[in-house]
Amino acid sequence: MCEIFGLPRMALQSEVEEVTFKGGTIDGQVETTMTTRQVGLAVAVVAALAFGGCAGSQAQEEYDVVIRGGTLLDGTGAPASVGDLAIRGDRVVALGQVNGVGKLTIDATGLMVAPGFVDMHAHSDPWRLRHAGHGPSFAYQGITTEVFGEYGSPGPFGGKMQGGLIEDESIPKEARDRCRTLGGCLDFMESQGSSANFASYVGSGAVRAYVMGYVDRAPTTEELDQMRAVVRQAMHEGAIGVSSGMSYVPNIYMSTDELAALVREAAGFGGIYATHARTMNGTDPNAVREAIDVGRKAGADVHFHHLNSTAGPKAGEFLAIIDSARSGGMNVTGNSYTYTWGITPLSAYIPAWAQEGGRQAMLKRLADPSDRQRIAKGFVSEPPYLANVGWHHVRLGVSDKAVNGKLVSEVAADRRQSPEEVFMDVVLAAKGEGIVIDWNNEEETLRQVLQKPYVAAGTDGSALALDWQDLPPLIHPRHMGTIPRWLGTYVRDEKMRSWEEAVRRLAALPFEILKIPHRGTLRVGNFADVVIFDSKTIDGRATFEQPNHYAVGMRYVLVNGVPVVKDGKYTAALPGRALRGAGYQKSPS
């Protein structure tokens, strides 16, 4: 400790704090109540300041990381400023002009420094379980936190549910055993490490499947009580709310009131309702009204997943419904990715009635001539109506190399069959496994969604590595470039919004929506999730034709103070943590 005239600096400060100055300034006139000793000490302090203090004052503050000379965008939307940032441990401890040294010093001159970005709609959980927490495609986008959960979630599994993580043999057995509950899966993922923080909803589809399986009927009173209990348990295990995927079985079988009953349980813990609404591609605006009604009945905030593909080419009409609800006092928000084509599970295109009972029951119907006739007629006339985009807008992603990557309309022309027959044959041959990449929007209406101040980013994708041998048969560029495309194309090139506002939407807004404190802004005391990027080069390089490209422009990405990208390269560090909701109750160890 530094000493002045033989007295410790802290002792001097304690004595000087008893001295008051007229007008609150040092003007040479001291209150007459001061003692001689206090005056002497005050003079000593002034002298120490004037002559540079003592030998100990030459020692500089030490930090783990010092970022110097960057353009700081703090996440609040306030104007950017050039300055420094210091990190000690997992926290930001100094901002502005930092006088000290860092174990790691980063020259950020000419670069932007911002809070880490949040993916509000991620499907990385199985990939991180398969690959020990890694996911460089998200790190290169500056994603420091991702949020899981739609129709399903990383737990619960079991009960009357079919498939899921616990039956996926590509996932290590220990992970499958731990992921029977949401809390167990969050704990396991945290213990193995992750290159990003993560949070999760509990998927209402998973809850229903756990209790009821895949039947198309209303729950009994007993079954509804069981589902509510499963939601309560998940909230105690750290869920941030309830999610749904209303185009998918078994969510599609659920009524508005059934959903509201489950969401009400989460709302009691401060949880929100996040939904893939009961429509896609702008088909039915009443699906947006239903989701808002669920939130109103349950007393919960409402958050729309992939609002871009939900609203589709009717964004103006759909957004007006949300704006009206917000004007009426409801907290309704959304997320969006930055592409006009999306991803859907292959079997999701099959009419919902034909999926009742699970995958094997569906495959049996697809092999039955009379059922095939009804299925063929129902692609556009029965829920979920996904084929109404047209078969020339549906690209197959399956293991069969003869059709993988082709449009259904192309395969139909090659085989001289109807597209409905082709699609049913492909699903049957693939045993229901696979994806489609399908059109859902126009650039003009996508921009309308991105311009809304309540819309955050959500990739609706997964953290991947290009050298993995088990990649999907067809890769969507949103896995690689959603956020860099937002910044490079829509902010830098098109000047749709300012850099400050873009960073607010990518960093602070998500944590406000999720009600998670101490993250999302560059403030002293907040967790040190920080990105440093070059605004001149930031971009998503992946395209639909050539998707195997990581994003560019991200120089450093720090998660809880630890670099996961350093000098533009993935470090393989795994400092990510589970971020749990307000209802979390840590189980006894």
mmCIF file of all heavy atoms in Angstrom, residues 74 90-91 115-116 118 144-145 190 197-198 507-512 516-523 525-530 558-561 575-580:
data_model
loop_
_atom_site.group_PDB
_atom_site.id
_atom_site.type_symbol
_atom_site.label_atom_id
_atom_site.label_comp_id
_atom_site.label_asym_id
_atom_site.label_seq_id
_atom_site.Cartn_x
_atom_site.Cartn_y
_atom_site.Cartn_z
ATOM 1 N N ASP A 74 -21.609 1.296 -26.841
ATOM 2 C CA ASP A 74 -21.877 0.666 -25.544
ATOM 3 C C ASP A 74 -23.130 -0.194 -25.495
ATOM 4 O O ASP A 74 -23.408 -0.842 -24.496
ATOM 5 C CB ASP A 74 -21.915 1.717 -24.436
ATOM 6 C CG ASP A 74 -23.107 2.678 -24.537
ATOM 7 O OD1 ASP A 74 -23.986 2.484 -25.404
ATOM 8 O OD2 ASP A 74 -23.145 3.625 -23.726
ATOM 9 N N ASP A 90 -13.875 -11.915 -15.312
ATOM 10 C CA ASP A 90 -14.969 -11.998 -16.275
ATOM 11 C C ASP A 90 -15.776 -10.706 -16.382
ATOM 12 O O ASP A 90 -16.864 -10.704 -16.949
ATOM 13 C CB ASP A 90 -15.908 -13.157 -15.907
ATOM 14 C CG ASP A 90 -16.540 -13.004 -14.530
ATOM 15 O OD1 ASP A 90 -16.280 -11.992 -13.841
ATOM 16 O OD2 ASP A 90 -17.300 -13.907 -14.126
ATOM 17 N N ARG A 91 -15.219 -9.600 -15.847
ATOM 18 C CA ARG A 91 -15.984 -8.354 -15.798
ATOM 19 C C ARG A 91 -15.247 -7.187 -16.457
ATOM 20 O O ARG A 91 -14.008 -7.111 -16.440
ATOM 21 C CB ARG A 91 -16.271 -7.960 -14.341
ATOM 22 C CG ARG A 91 -16.994 -9.017 -13.528
ATOM 23 C CD ARG A 91 -18.486 -8.950 -13.688
ATOM 24 N NE ARG A 91 -19.164 -9.943 -12.852
ATOM 25 C CZ ARG A 91 -20.426 -9.837 -12.438
ATOM 26 N NH1 ARG A 91 -21.141 -8.775 -12.768
ATOM 27 N NH2 ARG A 91 -20.971 -10.783 -11.703
ATOM 28 N N PRO A 115 -20.617 -4.676 -27.155
ATOM 29 C CA PRO A 115 -21.004 -5.842 -26.367
ATOM 30 C C PRO A 115 -21.219 -7.039 -27.298
ATOM 31 O O PRO A 115 -21.591 -6.866 -28.468
ATOM 32 C CB PRO A 115 -22.325 -5.418 -25.705
ATOM 33 C CG PRO A 115 -22.513 -3.987 -26.007
ATOM 34 C CD PRO A 115 -21.647 -3.631 -27.154
ATOM 35 N N GLY A 116 -20.997 -8.229 -26.799
ATOM 36 C CA GLY A 116 -21.206 -9.429 -27.600
ATOM 37 C C GLY A 116 -22.636 -9.545 -28.095
ATOM 38 O O GLY A 116 -23.589 -9.095 -27.455
ATOM 39 N N VAL A 118 -26.161 -11.472 -29.531
ATOM 40 C CA VAL A 118 -27.020 -12.536 -29.024
ATOM 41 C C VAL A 118 -27.821 -13.132 -30.173
ATOM 42 O O VAL A 118 -28.448 -12.401 -30.951
ATOM 43 C CB VAL A 118 -27.988 -11.999 -27.945
ATOM 44 C CG1 VAL A 118 -28.864 -13.125 -27.401
ATOM 45 C CG2 VAL A 118 -27.214 -11.338 -26.812
ATOM 46 N N THR A 144 -21.970 -14.220 -28.725
ATOM 47 C CA THR A 144 -21.436 -14.617 -27.423
ATOM 48 C C THR A 144 -22.498 -15.265 -26.536
ATOM 49 O O THR A 144 -22.164 -15.821 -25.492
ATOM 50 C CB THR A 144 -20.831 -13.407 -26.694
ATOM 51 O OG1 THR A 144 -21.829 -12.400 -26.542
ATOM 52 C CG2 THR A 144 -19.659 -12.838 -27.477
ATOM 53 N N THR A 145 -23.770 -15.183 -26.948
ATOM 54 C CA THR A 145 -24.865 -15.841 -26.225
ATOM 55 C C THR A 145 -25.876 -16.352 -27.240
ATOM 56 O O THR A 145 -26.200 -15.636 -28.204
ATOM 57 C CB THR A 145 -25.569 -14.878 -25.255
ATOM 58 O OG1 THR A 145 -24.628 -14.405 -24.288
ATOM 59 C CG2 THR A 145 -26.722 -15.562 -24.535
ATOM 60 N N GLU A 190 -22.719 -26.753 -19.485
ATOM 61 C CA GLU A 190 -21.821 -25.834 -18.785
ATOM 62 C C GLU A 190 -20.570 -26.560 -18.316
ATOM 63 O O GLU A 190 -19.459 -26.011 -18.390
ATOM 64 C CB GLU A 190 -22.547 -25.193 -17.611
ATOM 65 C CG GLU A 190 -21.767 -24.080 -16.945
ATOM 66 C CD GLU A 190 -22.620 -23.289 -15.966
ATOM 67 O OE1 GLU A 190 -23.259 -23.918 -15.091
ATOM 68 O OE2 GLU A 190 -22.652 -22.060 -16.073
ATOM 69 N N ASN A 197 -22.101 -18.351 -24.347
ATOM 70 C CA ASN A 197 -23.099 -18.530 -23.295
ATOM 71 C C ASN A 197 -24.383 -19.060 -23.916
ATOM 72 O O ASN A 197 -24.614 -18.923 -25.123
ATOM 73 C CB ASN A 197 -23.405 -17.192 -22.617
ATOM 74 C CG ASN A 197 -22.177 -16.547 -22.013
ATOM 75 O OD1 ASN A 197 -21.420 -17.174 -21.291
ATOM 76 N ND2 ASN A 197 -21.972 -15.264 -22.324
ATOM 77 N N PHE A 198 -25.267 -19.610 -23.092
ATOM 78 C CA PHE A 198 -26.511 -20.153 -23.626
ATOM 79 C C PHE A 198 -27.606 -20.094 -22.576
ATOM 80 O O PHE A 198 -27.357 -20.178 -21.368
ATOM 81 C CB PHE A 198 -26.318 -21.596 -24.105
ATOM 82 C CG PHE A 198 -25.661 -22.494 -23.094
ATOM 83 C CD1 PHE A 198 -26.409 -23.243 -22.192
ATOM 84 C CD2 PHE A 198 -24.281 -22.581 -23.018
ATOM 85 C CE1 PHE A 198 -25.797 -24.047 -21.246
ATOM 86 C CE2 PHE A 198 -23.656 -23.386 -22.075
ATOM 87 C CZ PHE A 198 -24.419 -24.120 -21.185
ATOM 88 N N ALA A 507 -27.353 -6.592 -29.118
ATOM 89 C CA ALA A 507 -26.719 -6.884 -27.834
ATOM 90 C C ALA A 507 -27.602 -6.566 -26.633
ATOM 91 O O ALA A 507 -27.914 -7.459 -25.834
ATOM 92 C CB ALA A 507 -25.397 -6.111 -27.722
ATOM 93 N N ALA A 508 -28.020 -5.322 -26.480
ATOM 94 C CA ALA A 508 -28.773 -4.935 -25.280
ATOM 95 C C ALA A 508 -30.225 -5.372 -25.325
ATOM 96 O O ALA A 508 -30.769 -5.868 -24.335
ATOM 97 C CB ALA A 508 -28.679 -3.424 -25.084
ATOM 98 N N LEU A 509 -30.881 -5.177 -26.476
ATOM 99 C CA LEU A 509 -32.298 -5.528 -26.589
ATOM 100 C C LEU A 509 -32.572 -6.978 -26.198
ATOM 101 O O LEU A 509 -33.534 -7.246 -25.455
ATOM 102 C CB LEU A 509 -32.795 -5.240 -28.008
ATOM 103 C CG LEU A 509 -34.241 -5.654 -28.309
ATOM 104 C CD1 LEU A 509 -35.228 -4.899 -27.427
ATOM 105 C CD2 LEU A 509 -34.560 -5.420 -29.803
ATOM 106 N N PRO A 510 -31.779 -7.945 -26.659
ATOM 107 C CA PRO A 510 -32.067 -9.335 -26.275
ATOM 108 C C PRO A 510 -32.097 -9.567 -24.772
ATOM 109 O O PRO A 510 -32.985 -10.267 -24.267
ATOM 110 C CB PRO A 510 -30.929 -10.118 -26.938
ATOM 111 C CG PRO A 510 -30.545 -9.293 -28.110
ATOM 112 C CD PRO A 510 -30.679 -7.875 -27.646
ATOM 113 N N PHE A 511 -31.152 -8.981 -24.052
ATOM 114 C CA PHE A 511 -31.134 -9.205 -22.605
ATOM 115 C C PHE A 511 -32.270 -8.470 -21.910
ATOM 116 O O PHE A 511 -32.751 -8.918 -20.860
ATOM 117 C CB PHE A 511 -29.775 -8.819 -22.033
ATOM 118 C CG PHE A 511 -28.689 -9.794 -22.395
ATOM 119 C CD1 PHE A 511 -27.646 -9.421 -23.236
ATOM 120 C CD2 PHE A 511 -28.729 -11.097 -21.919
ATOM 121 C CE1 PHE A 511 -26.658 -10.341 -23.575
ATOM 122 C CE2 PHE A 511 -27.744 -12.017 -22.257
ATOM 123 C CZ PHE A 511 -26.707 -11.637 -23.088
ATOM 124 N N GLU A 512 -32.714 -7.356 -22.476
ATOM 125 C CA GLU A 512 -33.910 -6.711 -21.949
ATOM 126 C C GLU A 512 -35.120 -7.620 -22.135
ATOM 127 O O GLU A 512 -35.952 -7.765 -21.231
ATOM 128 C CB GLU A 512 -34.140 -5.379 -22.667
ATOM 129 C CG GLU A 512 -33.101 -4.311 -22.357
ATOM 130 C CD GLU A 512 -33.280 -3.087 -23.236
ATOM 131 O OE1 GLU A 512 -34.303 -3.018 -23.953
ATOM 132 O OE2 GLU A 512 -32.393 -2.212 -23.222
ATOM 133 N N ILE A 516 -32.408 -10.720 -18.332
ATOM 134 C CA ILE A 516 -31.148 -11.200 -17.772
ATOM 135 C C ILE A 516 -30.251 -9.991 -17.522
ATOM 136 O O ILE A 516 -29.913 -9.265 -18.467
ATOM 137 C CB ILE A 516 -30.458 -12.202 -18.715
ATOM 138 C CG1 ILE A 516 -31.316 -13.470 -18.852
ATOM 139 C CG2 ILE A 516 -29.061 -12.556 -18.203
ATOM 140 C CD1 ILE A 516 -30.773 -14.467 -19.853
ATOM 141 N N PRO A 517 -29.860 -9.736 -16.283
ATOM 142 C CA PRO A 517 -29.097 -8.522 -15.970
ATOM 143 C C PRO A 517 -27.597 -8.665 -16.229
ATOM 144 O O PRO A 517 -27.073 -9.768 -16.421
ATOM 145 C CB PRO A 517 -29.367 -8.330 -14.477
ATOM 146 C CG PRO A 517 -29.524 -9.736 -13.956
ATOM 147 C CD PRO A 517 -30.198 -10.508 -15.068
ATOM 148 N N HIS A 518 -26.914 -7.522 -16.239
ATOM 149 C CA HIS A 518 -25.448 -7.426 -16.253
ATOM 150 C C HIS A 518 -24.807 -7.920 -17.543
ATOM 151 O O HIS A 518 -23.631 -8.271 -17.560
ATOM 152 C CB HIS A 518 -24.844 -8.164 -15.049
ATOM 153 C CG HIS A 518 -25.435 -7.780 -13.740
ATOM 154 N ND1 HIS A 518 -25.490 -6.478 -13.304
ATOM 155 C CD2 HIS A 518 -26.052 -8.536 -12.776
ATOM 156 C CE1 HIS A 518 -26.084 -6.440 -12.130
ATOM 157 N NE2 HIS A 518 -26.440 -7.658 -11.794
ATOM 158 N N ARG A 519 -25.579 -7.944 -18.613
ATOM 159 C CA ARG A 519 -25.034 -8.301 -19.917
ATOM 160 C C ARG A 519 -25.689 -7.425 -20.982
ATOM 161 O O ARG A 519 -26.754 -6.860 -20.777
ATOM 162 C CB ARG A 519 -25.254 -9.784 -20.247
ATOM 163 C CG ARG A 519 -24.485 -10.727 -19.322
ATOM 164 C CD ARG A 519 -24.645 -12.182 -19.741
ATOM 165 N NE ARG A 519 -24.064 -13.095 -18.760
ATOM 166 C CZ ARG A 519 -22.810 -13.531 -18.776
ATOM 167 N NH1 ARG A 519 -21.983 -13.128 -19.740
ATOM 168 N NH2 ARG A 519 -22.357 -14.348 -17.840
ATOM 169 N N GLY A 520 -25.042 -7.311 -22.113
ATOM 170 C CA GLY A 520 -25.624 -6.619 -23.241
ATOM 171 C C GLY A 520 -25.174 -5.183 -23.436
ATOM 172 O O GLY A 520 -25.451 -4.583 -24.465
ATOM 173 N N THR A 521 -24.480 -4.608 -22.472
ATOM 174 C CA THR A 521 -23.942 -3.250 -22.598
ATOM 175 C C THR A 521 -22.521 -3.214 -22.054
ATOM 176 O O THR A 521 -22.151 -4.015 -21.185
ATOM 177 C CB THR A 521 -24.799 -2.219 -21.836
ATOM 178 O OG1 THR A 521 -24.905 -2.606 -20.462
ATOM 179 C CG2 THR A 521 -26.192 -2.102 -22.434
ATOM 180 N N LEU A 522 -21.747 -2.252 -22.543
ATOM 181 C CA LEU A 522 -20.398 -2.037 -22.030
ATOM 182 C C LEU A 522 -20.498 -1.094 -20.842
ATOM 183 O O LEU A 522 -20.529 0.132 -20.988
ATOM 184 C CB LEU A 522 -19.503 -1.433 -23.118
ATOM 185 C CG LEU A 522 -19.287 -2.280 -24.377
ATOM 186 C CD1 LEU A 522 -18.343 -1.560 -25.338
ATOM 187 C CD2 LEU A 522 -18.759 -3.675 -24.046
ATOM 188 N N ARG A 523 -20.567 -1.670 -19.667
ATOM 189 C CA ARG A 523 -20.636 -0.905 -18.431
ATOM 190 C C ARG A 523 -19.715 -1.537 -17.409
ATOM 191 O O ARG A 523 -19.560 -2.763 -17.360
ATOM 192 C CB ARG A 523 -22.061 -0.882 -17.881
ATOM 193 C CG ARG A 523 -23.022 -0.022 -18.686
ATOM 194 C CD ARG A 523 -24.422 -0.085 -18.127
ATOM 195 N NE ARG A 523 -25.339 0.782 -18.857
ATOM 196 C CZ ARG A 523 -26.659 0.710 -18.770
ATOM 197 N NH1 ARG A 523 -27.218 -0.196 -17.981
ATOM 198 N NH2 ARG A 523 -27.430 1.527 -19.470
ATOM 199 N N GLY A 525 -18.646 -3.309 -14.359
ATOM 200 C CA GLY A 525 -19.364 -4.273 -13.548
ATOM 201 C C GLY A 525 -20.098 -5.320 -14.342
ATOM 202 O O GLY A 525 -20.454 -6.381 -13.805
ATOM 203 N N ASN A 526 -20.358 -5.064 -15.626
ATOM 204 C CA ASN A 526 -21.033 -6.054 -16.458
ATOM 205 C C ASN A 526 -20.069 -7.160 -16.867
ATOM 206 O O ASN A 526 -18.849 -6.983 -16.887
ATOM 207 C CB ASN A 526 -21.615 -5.401 -17.705
ATOM 208 C CG ASN A 526 -22.985 -4.799 -17.453
ATOM 209 O OD1 ASN A 526 -23.450 -4.734 -16.313
ATOM 210 N ND2 ASN A 526 -23.639 -4.348 -18.509
ATOM 211 N N PHE A 527 -20.640 -8.295 -17.250
ATOM 212 C CA PHE A 527 -19.816 -9.402 -17.735
ATOM 213 C C PHE A 527 -19.152 -9.004 -19.051
ATOM 214 O O PHE A 527 -19.736 -8.296 -19.878
ATOM 215 C CB PHE A 527 -20.657 -10.660 -17.919
ATOM 216 C CG PHE A 527 -21.074 -11.290 -16.620
ATOM 217 C CD1 PHE A 527 -22.323 -11.030 -16.083
ATOM 218 C CD2 PHE A 527 -20.209 -12.121 -15.923
ATOM 219 C CE1 PHE A 527 -22.714 -11.588 -14.872
ATOM 220 C CE2 PHE A 527 -20.580 -12.687 -14.710
ATOM 221 C CZ PHE A 527 -21.833 -12.419 -14.181
ATOM 222 N N ALA A 528 -17.938 -9.482 -19.218
ATOM 223 C CA ALA A 528 -17.100 -9.041 -20.333
ATOM 224 C C ALA A 528 -17.316 -9.908 -21.569
ATOM 225 O O ALA A 528 -16.439 -10.676 -21.990
ATOM 226 C CB ALA A 528 -15.633 -9.035 -19.920
ATOM 227 N N ASP A 529 -18.507 -9.798 -22.152
ATOM 228 C CA ASP A 529 -18.774 -10.341 -23.480
ATOM 229 C C ASP A 529 -18.556 -9.184 -24.451
ATOM 230 O O ASP A 529 -19.350 -8.237 -24.498
ATOM 231 C CB ASP A 529 -20.207 -10.863 -23.591
ATOM 232 C CG ASP A 529 -20.494 -11.996 -22.622
ATOM 233 O OD1 ASP A 529 -19.550 -12.708 -22.238
ATOM 234 O OD2 ASP A 529 -21.679 -12.180 -22.265
ATOM 235 N N VAL A 530 -17.482 -9.245 -25.226
ATOM 236 C CA VAL A 530 -17.047 -8.089 -26.019
ATOM 237 C C VAL A 530 -16.630 -8.562 -27.408
ATOM 238 O O VAL A 530 -15.972 -9.598 -27.546
ATOM 239 C CB VAL A 530 -15.859 -7.368 -25.344
ATOM 240 C CG1 VAL A 530 -15.433 -6.146 -26.149
ATOM 241 C CG2 VAL A 530 -16.215 -6.959 -23.907
ATOM 242 N N LEU A 558 -14.684 -11.965 -27.177
ATOM 243 C CA LEU A 558 -14.414 -12.403 -25.811
ATOM 244 C C LEU A 558 -15.719 -12.804 -25.140
ATOM 245 O O LEU A 558 -16.709 -12.060 -25.189
ATOM 246 C CB LEU A 558 -13.733 -11.292 -25.005
ATOM 247 C CG LEU A 558 -12.309 -10.921 -25.437
ATOM 248 C CD1 LEU A 558 -12.336 -9.824 -26.490
ATOM 249 C CD2 LEU A 558 -11.472 -10.481 -24.247
ATOM 250 N N VAL A 559 -15.699 -13.956 -24.519
ATOM 251 C CA VAL A 559 -16.849 -14.464 -23.771
ATOM 252 C C VAL A 559 -16.435 -14.572 -22.313
ATOM 253 O O VAL A 559 -15.471 -15.279 -21.983
ATOM 254 C CB VAL A 559 -17.299 -15.840 -24.307
ATOM 255 C CG1 VAL A 559 -18.440 -16.403 -23.464
ATOM 256 C CG2 VAL A 559 -17.723 -15.722 -25.772
ATOM 257 N N ASN A 560 -17.111 -13.810 -21.461
ATOM 258 C CA ASN A 560 -16.735 -13.760 -20.041
ATOM 259 C C ASN A 560 -15.250 -13.446 -19.873
ATOM 260 O O ASN A 560 -14.567 -14.005 -19.009
ATOM 261 C CB ASN A 560 -17.102 -15.073 -19.344
ATOM 262 C CG ASN A 560 -18.594 -15.333 -19.376
ATOM 263 O OD1 ASN A 560 -19.402 -14.466 -19.025
ATOM 264 N ND2 ASN A 560 -18.988 -16.525 -19.811
ATOM 265 N N GLY A 561 -14.757 -12.554 -20.720
ATOM 266 C CA GLY A 561 -13.375 -12.092 -20.619
ATOM 267 C C GLY A 561 -12.342 -12.948 -21.311
ATOM 268 O O GLY A 561 -11.162 -12.588 -21.326
ATOM 269 N N PRO A 575 -15.346 -20.779 -22.704
ATOM 270 C CA PRO A 575 -15.670 -20.074 -21.461
ATOM 271 C C PRO A 575 -17.157 -19.795 -21.259
ATOM 272 O O PRO A 575 -17.547 -19.137 -20.298
ATOM 273 C CB PRO A 575 -14.910 -18.757 -21.621
ATOM 274 C CG PRO A 575 -14.972 -18.495 -23.091
ATOM 275 C CD PRO A 575 -14.917 -19.845 -23.762
ATOM 276 N N GLY A 576 -18.014 -20.280 -22.167
ATOM 277 C CA GLY A 576 -19.438 -19.975 -22.089
ATOM 278 C C GLY A 576 -20.110 -20.583 -20.867
ATOM 279 O O GLY A 576 -19.681 -21.612 -20.341
ATOM 280 N N ARG A 577 -21.184 -19.941 -20.426
ATOM 281 C CA ARG A 577 -21.912 -20.368 -19.229
ATOM 282 C C ARG A 577 -23.400 -20.488 -19.515
ATOM 283 O O ARG A 577 -23.922 -19.850 -20.432
ATOM 284 C CB ARG A 577 -21.707 -19.357 -18.099
ATOM 285 C CG ARG A 577 -20.270 -19.176 -17.697
ATOM 286 C CD ARG A 577 -20.120 -18.030 -16.717
ATOM 287 N NE ARG A 577 -18.718 -17.799 -16.386
ATOM 288 C CZ ARG A 577 -18.285 -16.750 -15.707
ATOM 289 N NH1 ARG A 577 -19.148 -15.828 -15.288
ATOM 290 N NH2 ARG A 577 -16.998 -16.604 -15.448
ATOM 291 N N ALA A 578 -24.083 -21.268 -18.698
ATOM 292 C CA ALA A 578 -25.540 -21.327 -18.745
ATOM 293 C C ALA A 578 -26.101 -20.081 -18.075
ATOM 294 O O ALA A 578 -25.701 -19.734 -16.956
ATOM 295 C CB ALA A 578 -26.039 -22.583 -18.050
ATOM 296 N N LEU A 579 -26.999 -19.400 -18.766
ATOM 297 C CA LEU A 579 -27.678 -18.226 -18.211
ATOM 298 C C LEU A 579 -29.102 -18.650 -17.880
ATOM 299 O O LEU A 579 -29.874 -18.982 -18.771
ATOM 300 C CB LEU A 579 -27.670 -17.072 -19.215
ATOM 301 C CG LEU A 579 -26.298 -16.701 -19.796
ATOM 302 C CD1 LEU A 579 -26.427 -15.502 -20.724
ATOM 303 C CD2 LEU A 579 -25.282 -16.425 -18.686
ATOM 304 N N ARG A 580 -29.431 -18.645 -16.612
ATOM 305 C CA ARG A 580 -30.705 -19.215 -16.163
ATOM 306 C C ARG A 580 -31.691 -18.122 -15.771
ATOM 307 O O ARG A 580 -31.303 -17.032 -15.377
ATOM 308 C CB ARG A 580 -30.454 -20.176 -15.010
ATOM 309 C CG ARG A 580 -29.543 -21.351 -15.389
ATOM 310 C CD ARG A 580 -29.179 -22.210 -14.191
ATOM 311 N NE ARG A 580 -28.396 -23.383 -14.550
ATOM 312 C CZ ARG A 580 -27.075 -23.420 -14.642
ATOM 313 N NH1 ARG A 580 -26.363 -22.320 -14.400
ATOM 314 N NH2 ARG A 580 -26.449 -24.532 -14.963
#
